[in-house]
């Protein structure tokens, strides 16, 4: 029973901190809007993808981008917890490391879902409606974000300084984003790029959400979803292991 | 025995931080680990609190093995770390709530319990302020309250007054003394302040270079020196003649100062002064723990050497996120 209330306690703390740190929210929302309006608007004025306006085409990708960056960056807070010695208080509690890890994951998922929701509010501007697919979109985002937050936490559990963390994740963030099909369709890629994008879990997130929002996807949405579930499960397992090994 | 430690050892690579320590601590005792910085006090504490795995040896806390039954150990103990470890974006109340939930304190009497410990450390009217607005002393008190929230049998205090100003330190001691009276809890304190160990502890273990040098009550340790301390500033002491005086128990000499342990010093001081030569200044006092430390380790325990303590941490890492 104390594991469950502990899980809730850790989530609650993350959520409160998230609400109190307005700058965190603002930064992760402004950035995607730049991409959408400046990059998307600029390129979109000259071409479209398969009859879809370019801005509309990248919209699902930008949602994934926003969640991707904030999810992985979320791992920095575990580094801060170490630095602030708050982590000691958590580690000395009679909770399993799995619970601590899952509590942290849920905190990060909540943050990222709130950010995604805010960006989804402007969908009508692009003439995109979700209908009943909204529930499925959240389901896909939930699974995808769980995996991504785990990546951040795993890296964070290994790092001692926030600077080191920032350096490492910039090598993770940008490839995941640029090689995900968020900004271009996957059907005409040169072979090497094709291979890499197919190894990138974010690709399936973008594809599924694009399918659910715009009705066009490269793979079947079920296929995307199953792969995302496998990706997230694997990372939860690795993450639990990483937290067990984590030292102060 | 509430805590039983046998041959406890911690090595970091080639460095032995804690070297085969033995301790047995009774229920209801206030036990001090006294020693200079880097002596291995905090490492010992972290091993007892299951935060560090011992390299060797056995430690039973409340009857539970710290390695094999770490969960049971964690439920039995409360710990106040040397560095502040509360979340400064949360309020005092929220920090306590977080702690209570993690320790499985039932929701039903959560409020009551939190209020109880807040009252104990005098923070009721500041409970809804964010911790970043607290002073160092308040924050330390909050963390003591937090350590007590789940009714542990044992409370670990790691350098409870490090970096606090003298007035706040005095308050903190009063809180701890009150706590012992009201809660009948077993307390383990690490400190490098002699005064603190002398005032609060029933028994102390002097630790140096990872080893326990001696364990006893402060009174016994002091009386063990077998006399008062005469310290004299003198250039050319006639130590040979002094050595022949029967009532001089021990002679120590450190940079220009001669320290004698003397029986009936009040009576014998004139003869000593006549014998030793021309003295620049002289001081007579009953033995302090400082003298005890010097006696057992051959070194002075300086109080200024603490670094990287509470204050520095509190001010350096305030900015984040």
């Amino acid at each position: 029973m104390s594991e469950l209330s502990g899980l809730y306690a850790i989530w609650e703390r993350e959520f409160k901190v998230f609400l109190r740190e307005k700058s965190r929210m603002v930064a992760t929302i402004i950035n995607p809007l730049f991409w959408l309006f400046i990059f998307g608007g600029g390129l979109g004025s000259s071409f479209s993808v398969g009859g879809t306006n370019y801005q509309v085409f990248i919209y699902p990708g930008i949602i994934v981008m926003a969640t991707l960056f904030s999810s992985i960056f979320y791992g920095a807070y575990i580094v801060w917890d170490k630095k602030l010695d708050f982590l000691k208080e958590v580690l000395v509690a009679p909770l399993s490391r799995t619970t601590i890890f899952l509590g942290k994951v849920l905190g990060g998922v909540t943050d990222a879902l709130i950010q995604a929701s805010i960006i989804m509010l402007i969908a009508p501007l692009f003439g995109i409606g979700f209908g009943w697919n909204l529930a499925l979109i959240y389901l896909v985002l939930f699974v995808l974000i769980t995996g991504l937050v785990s990546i951040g936490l795993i890296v964070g559990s290994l790092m001692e300084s926030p600077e080191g963390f920032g350096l490492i994740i910039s090598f993770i963030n940008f490839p995941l984003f640029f090689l995900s099909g968020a900004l271009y369709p996957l059907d005409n890629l040169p072979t090497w790029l094709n291979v890499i994008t197919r190894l990138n879990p974010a690709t399936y997130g973008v594809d599924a959400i694009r399918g659910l929002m715009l009705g066009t996807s490269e793979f079947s949405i079920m296929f995307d979803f199953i792969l995302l579930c496998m990706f997230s499960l694997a990372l939860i397992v690795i993450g639990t292991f990483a937290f067990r090994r984590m030292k102060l | 025995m509430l805590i039983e430690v046998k041959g406890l050892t911690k090595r970091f690579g080639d460095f032995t931080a804690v070297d085969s320590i033995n301790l047995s601590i009774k229920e209801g005792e206030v036990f001090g680990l006294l020693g200079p910085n880097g002596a291995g006090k905090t490492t010992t504490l972290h091993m007892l609190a299951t935060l560090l795995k011992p390299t060797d040896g056995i430690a039973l806390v409340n009857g539970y093995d710290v390695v094999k039954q770490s969960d049971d150990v964690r439920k039995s103990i409360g710990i106040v770390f040397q560095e502040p470890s509360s979340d400064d974006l949360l309020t005092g109340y929220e920090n306590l709530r977080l702690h209570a939930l993690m320790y499985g304190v039932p929701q039903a009497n959560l409020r009551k319990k939190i209020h109880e410990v807040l009252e104990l450390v005098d923070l009721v009217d500041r409970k809804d302020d964010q911790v970043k607005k607290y002073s160092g002393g308040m924050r330390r008190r909050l963390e003591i309250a937090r350590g007590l929230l789940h009714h542990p049998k044992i409370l670990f205090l790691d350098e409870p007054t490090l970096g606090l100003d003298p007035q706040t330190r005095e308050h903190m001691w009063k809180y701890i003394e009150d706590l012992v009276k009201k809660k009948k809890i077993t307390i383990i304190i690490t400190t490098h302040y002699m005064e603190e160990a002398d005032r609060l502890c029933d028994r102390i273990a002097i630790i140096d270079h990872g080893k326990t040098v001696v364990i006893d009550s402060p009174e016994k340790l002091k009386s063990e020196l077998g006399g008062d301390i005469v310290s004299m500033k003198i250039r050319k002491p006639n130590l040979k003649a002094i050595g022949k005086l029967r009532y001089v128990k021990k002679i120590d000499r450190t940079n220009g100062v001669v320290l004698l342990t003397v029986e009936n010093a009040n009576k014998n001081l004139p003869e000593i002064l006549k014998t030793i030569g021309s003295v620049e200044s002289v001081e007579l006092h009953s033995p302090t723990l400082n003298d005890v430390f010097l006696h057992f380790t051959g070194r002075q325990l300086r109080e200024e050497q603490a670094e990287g303590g509470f204050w520095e941490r509190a001010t350096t890492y305030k900015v984040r996120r």
Side-chain angles (χ1 to χ4, degrees):
Chain A
M1 217 31 224
S2 86
E3 295 286 337
L4 209 60
S5 77
L7 183 77
Y8 172 76
I10 291 169
W11 172 82
E12 188 187 67
R13 178 241 177 183
E14 293 298 336
F15 189 57
K16 278 180 187 157
V17 170
F18 175 73
L19 293 181
R20 274 169 212 178
E21 289 269 310
K22 305 279 187 297
S23 59
R24 234 163 110 170
M25 180 119 79
V26 173
T28 42
I29 288 166
I30 299 291
N31 206 5
L33 295 183
F34 277 152
W35 278 90
L36 210 48
F37 286 102
I38 301 174
F39 185 77
L43 271 180
S45 57
S46 339
F47 61 82
S48 58
V49 177
T52 313
N53 175 291
Y54 185 68
Q55 228 173 347
V56 174
F57 175 81
I58 64 166
Y59 179 74
I62 295 302
I63 288 176
V64 170
M65 179 198 84
T67 58
L68 174 94
F69 283 12
S70 71
S71 301
I72 292 185
F73 181 74
Y74 176 81
Y77 301 129
I78 193 94
V79 185
W80 273 113
D81 281 355
K82 273 186 217 174
K83 274 211 115 147
L84 293 166
D85 288 302
F86 178 78
L87 194 63
K88 277 189 194 157
E89 149 77 356
V90 177
L91 293 187
V92 82
L95 293 175
S96 75
R97 294 285 173 101
T98 311
T99 302
I100 296 170
F101 177 72
L102 291 179
K104 284 268 171 202
V105 169
L106 285 181
V109 170
T110 309
D111 295 5
L113 280 180
I114 290 173
Q115 285 155 359
S117 304
I118 292 172
I119 299 167
M120 288 204 288
L121 285 178
I122 60 165
L125 281 183
F126 305 99
I128 300 171
F130 307 126
W132 290 109
N133 276 353
L134 189 63
L136 294 176
I137 291 169
Y138 271 109
L139 185 64
V140 171
L141 281 176
F142 180 83
V143 175
L144 171 71
I145 292 169
T146 301
L148 295 172
V149 168
S150 302
I151 294 181
L153 287 174
I154 292 164
V155 177
S157 76
L158 300 170
M159 305 303 292
E160 307 247 309
S161 75
E163 294 80 7
F165 177 83
L167 198 67
I168 301 283
I169 58 158
S170 64
F171 288 115
I172 299 176
N173 271 343
F174 285 99
L176 280 182
F177 171 49
F178 284 119
L179 299 170
S180 68
L183 300 177
Y184 45 76
L186 299 173
D187 47 8
N188 266 329
L189 297 179
T191 320
W192 66 271
L193 199 53
N194 203 357
V195 171
I196 300 175
T197 47
R198 271 157 205 255
L199 291 174
N200 177 1
T203 302
Y204 304 98
V206 172
D207 194 59
I209 289 170
R210 187 173 285 142
L212 289 166
M213 285 185 179
L214 310 179
T216 54
S217 62
E218 182 72 15
F219 316 102
S220 88
I221 291 172
M222 200 37 135
F223 177 75
D224 289 331
F225 186 68
I226 290 168
L227 275 181
L228 286 175
C229 286
M230 284 161 56
F231 158 70
S232 290
L233 270 178
L235 278 154
I236 285 177
V237 172
I238 299 169
T240 309
F241 184 71
F243 263 50
R244 270 195 210 137
R245 290 201 37 191
M246 179 165 54
K247 294 208 177 87
L248 284 172
Chain B
M1 287 297 144
L2 199 58
I3 295 180
E4 193 76 65
V5 173
K6 281 202 185 99
L8 195 67
T9 300
K10 180 71 191 179
R11 276 186 285 271
F12 298 102
D14 287 341
F15 174 67
T16 308
V18 174
D19 194 353
S20 195
I21 276 185
N22 301 312
L23 295 171
S24 18
I25 297 167
K26 283 179 287 215
E27 187 151 6
E29 203 171 14
V30 180
F31 191 90
L33 297 172
L34 177 73
N37 260 24
K41 298 172 304 217
T42 300
T43 309
T44 305
L45 211 64
H46 280 183
M47 284 193 281
L48 294 181
T50 76
L51 281 171
L52 269 179
K53 267 203 184 119
T55 316
D56 209 351
I58 296 175
L60 300 179
V61 174
N62 195 20
Y64 302 114
D65 186 296
V66 292
V67 179
K68 290 176 204 139
Q69 295 158 296
S70 56
D71 257 21
D72 292 314
V73 171
R74 287 175 199 183
K75 278 178 197 150
S76 324
I77 62 165
I79 181 165
V80 179
F81 296 103
Q82 201 172 119
E83 310 81 15
S85 65
S86 40
D87 189 326
D88 56 4
L89 287 174
L90 299 182
T91 66
Y93 183 88
E94 286 167 340
N95 266 296
L96 295 177
R97 177 182 153 81
L98 170 68
H99 183 90
L101 289 173
M102 287 199 298
Y103 281 77
V105 174
Q107 286 273 6
N109 49 7
L110 204 66
R111 272 179 175 279
K112 212 181 111 221
K113 286 239 165 100
I114 294 177
H115 202 81
E116 221 177 85
V117 289
L118 278 170
E119 226 155 43
L120 198 69
V121 297
D122 249 342
L123 280 175
V124 176
D125 47 340
R126 296 295 301 271
K127 72 181 166 69
D128 293 323
D129 286 343
Q130 283 187 13
V131 170
K132 63 181 171 192
K133 292 183 187 140
Y134 282 21
S135 68
M138 287 167 67
R139 198 160 174 183
R140 194 59 70 89
R141 264 148 58 201
L142 177 73
E143 299 195 5
I144 290 180
R146 191 177 67 179
L148 291 169
L149 193 51
H150 54 285
H151 294 301
K153 292 196 80 168
I154 304 156
L155 183 65
F156 293 110
L157 301 173
D158 195 1
E159 298 275 5
T161 63
L162 182 65
L164 300 180
D165 59 75
Q167 204 189 347
T168 317
R169 180 182 299 172
E170 181 62 36
H171 278 299
M172 196 62 72
W173 286 343
K174 285 224 177 79
Y175 282 117
I176 296 171
E177 282 168 342
D178 269 5
L179 202 66
V180 177
K181 268 186 227 143
K182 283 187 199 153
K183 291 261 169 187
K184 303 220 167 21
I185 191 172
T186 308
I187 298 183
I188 321 284
I189 294 180
T190 75
T191 184
H192 66 280
Y193 296 121
M194 294 291 170
E195 227 187 318
E196 185 163 287
D198 208 353
R199 174 154 172 189
L200 297 175
C201 300
D202 299 321
R203 282 197 306 151
I204 55 172
I206 292 184
I207 295 188
D208 198 25
H209 299 301
K211 288 184 179 155
T212 43
V213 182
V214 63
I215 304 176
D216 219 325
S217 70
E219 293 72 30
K220 274 231 179 98
L221 287 174
K222 283 185 282 186
S223 69
E224 204 162 292
L225 294 188
D228 298 323
I229 308 294
V230 178
S231 91
M232 284 164 290
K233 213 170 170 193
I234 181 168
R235 287 236 182 86
K236 286 181 195 156
N238 186 354
L239 291 181
K240 232 180 193 174
I242 289 288
K244 283 178 190 151
L245 300 172
R246 262 182 302 115
Y247 48 79
V248 174
K249 294 285 158 197
K250 194 165 186 279
I251 303 172
D252 282 300
R253 203 179 165 187
T254 42
N255 27 333
V257 178
V258 174
L259 287 170
L260 304 179
T261 309
V262 180
E263 271 175 25
N264 288 327
N266 287 328
K267 210 180 107 204
N268 295 321
L269 190 58
E271 191 180 358
I272 291 173
L273 290 178
K274 235 183 274 167
T275 317
I276 201 164
S278 70
V279 171
E280 278 176 49
S281 70
V282 63
E283 197 196 307
L284 168 68
H285 65 260
S286 13
T288 64
L289 274 182
N290 212 355
D291 301 313
V292 174
F293 189 82
L294 180 73
H295 174 77
F296 283 104
T297 65
R299 288 188 294 122
Q300 294 264 10
L301 179 61
R302 278 178 302 132
E303 299 207 335
E304 291 77 29
Q305 60 192 197
E307 50 187 65
F310 186 86
W311 259 130
E312 275 168 60
R313 302 294 295 246
T315 46
T316 317
Y317 295 123
K318 245 181 188 161
V319 187
R320 65 159 178 185
R321 296 184 176 179

